[in-house]
Amino acid sequence: MGRKIVVALGGNAILSKDASAAAQQQALLATAKQLVKFVENGDQLIISHGNGPQVGNLLLQQAAGSTEENPAMPLDTAVAMTQGSIGYWMQNAMNQVLKEKGLKQTVATVVTQVEVSADDPAFKNPTKPIGPFMSKGEADLAKKENPDFTFIEDSGRGYRRVVPSPKPTGVVETQAVKTLVDAGIIPISVGGGGIPVVTNGDQLIGREAVIDKDFASEKLAELVDADALIILTAVPNIYVNFNQPNQKKLERVSVAELETYIEENQFAPGSMLPKVQAAIDFVKATGNQAVVTALDNIEGFVKNGSGTVISKKVSVRS
């Protein structure tokens, strides 16, 4: 068995403008053709994914059709529902590509619960964007129809609903994931950041929240003793001074450098910052490397290590 790697895929890579099942399945087939390059390289994959657009859309669909006899499901259940649907699409896409390549591995989705603290301050301060972008008018109308919802302007691209996003403290199905890995099966786990649950005696109780998939992926990578955490995003590298004339891409970077850049507010809170923070957490906890790069740069990373590689120490500032 080669390197054990957790690969975290963003929910926006699955759904762009077309929210139909067919379009998302087609996007995942293209994604699978990239991910399989890790398998061809001899790596043992553990796949995680976001679900922000999907769970937000599902909640809007439920709110629009909710009746006393057929009420909308709570947020934790909606996360479980999108874990299942995205996992179903992804495992089928991966299995198709693996067969086309003559590779023997199979793929299985684990509907995953992720432990959070009931006292996490995030429950009083919703910040995690979910669902589609809206105009100000559309957001005002959605707020009028759903008074309990909170909407904010997100990254200059429109308005989105935000929900609590507590930090993960554990992954309930860690042993199940390890068992699949030991059997040579590719697990899809902590989908959408996992179903947020708190412990109450012998019970696990779902909470109304969406866990950031980067932090959940990092926690899983720690717990399964992964050799690397790879976070896939829209750009091939982390950049400082992003979209400015003095923009610079980072290729080999230390934890200390990234922490300095965080202090300089180099990374947008809603997009690159959680990826950088999750990568730092993984490197600090394990001593292994984390990588942030683009889905379409997987071949470049596998062949020549391109992307942003984060280590405990790097001798030359990149």
Side-chain angles (χ1 to χ4, degrees), residues 14-28 53-54 57 61 85-86 89:
I14 305 164
L15 187 159
S16 52
K17 292 183 179 179
D18 187 343
S20 68
Q24 293 186 74
Q25 286 171 299
Q26 191 61 39
L28 281 167
Q54 293 83 2
N57 286 349
Q61 291 163 3
S85 60
I86 296 171
W89 294 332

Side-chain angles (χ1 to χ4, degrees), residues 20-251:
S20 68
Q24 293 186 74
Q25 286 171 299
Q26 191 61 39
L28 281 167
L29 184 59
T31 295
K33 290 177 181 178
Q34 297 291 337
L35 292 179
V36 80
K37 293 172 184 176
F38 287 117
V39 182
E40 292 178 301
N41 192 51
D43 297 320
Q44 171 63 48
L45 268 183
I46 300 167
I47 301 170
S48 66
H49 62 82
N51 74 340
Q54 293 83 2
V55 76
N57 286 349
L58 177 58
L59 290 170
L60 290 173
Q61 291 163 3
Q62 290 194 134
S66 179
T67 65
E68 187 174 340
E69 296 78 19
N70 186 28
M73 293 294 103
L75 181 52
D76 59 308
T77 301
V79 172
M81 293 163 74
T82 52
Q83 264 200 44
S85 60
I86 296 171
Y88 154 60
W89 294 332
M90 184 175 288
Q91 69 187 29
N92 278 354
M94 284 294 296
N95 281 325
Q96 176 182 329
V97 176
L98 288 165
K99 288 178 181 177
E100 290 172 355
K101 297 284 187 178
L103 298 165
K104 302 295 185 183
Q105 285 91 338
T106 57
V107 186
T109 298
V110 180
V111 177
T112 315
Q113 302 169 96
V114 173
E115 294 174 273
V116 299
S117 170
D119 298 324
D120 193 306
F123 285 112
K124 296 180 180 178
N125 180 33
T127 58
K128 177 67 176 174
I130 62 173
F133 287 95
M134 304 177 182
S135 68
K136 181 67 164 59
E138 290 170 332
D140 288 343
L141 179 60
K143 175 70 174 177
K144 185 177 180 180
E145 294 173 346
N146 305 279
D148 293 335
F149 289 6
T150 301
F151 295 86
I152 64 165
E153 196 280 326
D154 181 14
S155 305
R157 293 178 288 175
Y159 288 78
R160 294 177 78 187
R161 183 185 172 192
V162 289
V163 298
S165 185
K167 291 291 289 289
T169 61
V171 177
V172 176
E173 286 76 22
T174 295
Q175 189 55 52
V177 173
K178 286 182 174 180
T179 299
L180 290 170
V181 170
D182 290 343
I185 297 167
I186 300 171
I188 300 169
S189 183
V190 297
I195 304 158
V197 295
V198 297
T199 302
N200 182 12
D202 293 332
Q203 285 186 304
L204 293 171
I205 300 172
R207 294 298 302 267
E208 290 265 334
V210 171
I211 301 168
D212 189 284
K213 73 98 177 44
D214 297 313
F215 290 121
S217 302
E218 186 284 322
K219 181 57 66 176
L220 178 67
E222 271 189 58
L223 294 173
V224 301
D225 303 314
D227 297 305
L229 169 65
I230 299 176
I231 299 175
L232 299 178
T233 185
V235 290
N237 292 79
I238 299 171
Y239 291 84
V240 293
N241 305 317
F242 187 60
N243 276 343
Q244 299 177 36
N246 60 340
Q247 171 179 294
K248 182 180 73 169
K249 70 177 179 180
L250 304 179
E251 296 179 284

